[in-house]
Amino acid sequence: MEMEELYVSPDDHSRRSNHAEEDEHGLKRAALESLPTFDRLRTAFMESYATQDIENQQGDTVHKQVDVRDLGADDHQQIIDKLFKVVEVDNDRFLRELRERFHRVGITLPTVEVRFKNLTMKANCFVGNRSIPTLTNTLRNLADTVFGFLGIGLSKRGKITILDDVSGMIKPSRMTLLLGPPSSGKTTLLLALAGRANPGLTVEGNVTYNGHTLKEFVPQRTSSYISQIDVHVGEMTVKETLDFSARCQGVGSRYELLSELDMGEKQANVSPKPEATAMEGVEHNLITEYIIKILGLEICRDTVVGNQMIRGISGGQKKRLTTGNIT
């Protein structure tokens, strides 16, 4: 009796695996394309394993179609870990692919260019020992305020120039570094550009956003100023703080932008990406996990922020948390 041996080369096995992956990916794309635009933005494909060894991701892979709004904390973590295994590399790839999707359907992302010309800021303040915040000077300041309403000036103030005829431009899609010695007016300049200058200062010159002055443009919707002092609720954890911030800010125009992208891809017969669609869902918790991942706050996601009385996260982690709050 003759025995025949069946030999399958590694190349044949690799080709079969690639064909199987392409077929599976095509089925997922077809399932997403058949959904209405409203549902496509909320639909994702979750990958699970039939065996109990889920941590090592071994066993038969099973894909299921889920609604992003119904995902739990473990599901959010699974999506983020799958998309961003190496944060520096995968996040850059994800953003580039998302930008290419917008360019492919002819959508131009809005940009903001900030210009400031001949900006001069002056302050009327006490000079010398009169400016020291002592109890005596505080009482004298109160007296000056009261007599000031009556038109009587008890003390003279000096005028200090903080910024003197400063001009410049901040271009979009670039990182601008502002350097200067202490007390050179860096904070004052940033506050002026963010539209948060002290109303007691005398401001001369122009600050424009895309050619519009601060009276015509609302800079608070497109820019934020991060103070040197981080103000948080010490009893809340890092994840709770970001969740609360996300609920307060809402999704804004991002959801409308993604809806326009999805409709453009449908009209251009471009297949959507299940991973990117799931990533850009409207569920705040998923965005929170994304911010925690790219800011490197995973190690302290369930740690209380802390304050002077409660031990919490470090100063650098607080600064990153503040950045995540305004994202």
Side-chain angles (χ1 to χ4, degrees), residues 50-258:
T51 62
Q52 298 297 327
D53 194 6
I54 299 178
E55 294 182 357
N56 297 326
Q57 297 184 352
Q58 295 178 356
D60 297 332
T61 305
V62 179
H63 292 86
K64 58 180 179 179
Q65 181 176 324
V66 296
D67 192 325
V68 180
R69 297 169 298 175
D70 299 332
L71 296 178
D74 295 336
D75 296 329
H76 293 155
Q77 190 66 37
Q78 181 180 345
I79 291 178
I80 298 300
D81 291 340
K82 180 182 178 182
L83 287 177
F84 306 101
K85 296 180 180 179
V86 181
V87 179
E88 293 79 4
V89 178
D90 294 336
N91 185 51
D92 181 71
R93 174 187 55 81
F94 171 75
L95 295 177
R96 288 180 182 274
E97 289 181 354
L98 188 61
R99 184 179 62 180
E100 290 176 359
R101 290 179 62 189
F102 282 109
H103 290 338
R104 196 179 300 122
V105 297
I107 299 178
T108 303
L109 296 177
T111 58
V112 177
E113 182 181 78
V114 182
R115 293 175 179 262
F116 49 100
K117 185 177 181 181
N118 302 329
L119 185 61
T120 301
M121 303 186 69
K122 300 179 180 180
N124 293 325
C125 57
F126 297 108
V127 295
N129 295 332
R130 189 70 170 80
S131 61
I132 301 176
T134 61
L135 178 59
T136 303
N137 288 336
T138 302
L139 296 177
R140 294 177 64 182
N141 293 340
L142 292 176
D144 287 342
T145 303
V146 173
F147 285 103
F149 288 112
L150 302 177
I152 302 174
L154 298 180
S155 59
K156 296 182 179 180
R157 297 189 180 188
K159 182 168 289 188
I160 297 179
T161 302
I162 304 176
L163 297 176
D164 187 13
D165 196 22
V166 179
S167 300
M169 175 177 56
I170 300 178
K171 293 185 177 182
S173 304
R174 292 187 181 183
M175 181 177 293
T176 303
L177 179 63
L178 179 62
L179 295 176
S183 302
S184 61
K186 301 185 298 297
T187 301
T188 304
L189 175 60
L190 293 178
L191 288 173
L193 297 181
R196 296 179 53 185
N198 193 319
L201 299 178
T202 303
V203 181
E204 300 176 359
N206 296 320
V207 177
T208 59
Y209 279 68
N210 288 344
H212 299 279
T213 62
L214 296 182
K215 294 182 179 180
E216 304 170 340
F217 196 88
V218 183
Q220 289 79 6
R221 294 184 178 180
T222 56
S223 63
S224 300
Y225 173 77
I226 301 178
S227 175
Q228 297 180 2
I229 302 175
D230 302 308
V231 181
H232 300 289
V233 180
E235 292 78 7
M236 296 177 65
T237 64
V238 171
K239 185 178 184 304
E240 291 172 346
T241 302
L242 292 174
D243 279 336
F244 177 74
S245 176
R247 292 189 181 97
C248 291
Q249 296 182 35
V251 295
S253 60
R254 290 175 294 179
Y255 182 70
E256 298 177 358
L257 192 62
L258 288 173

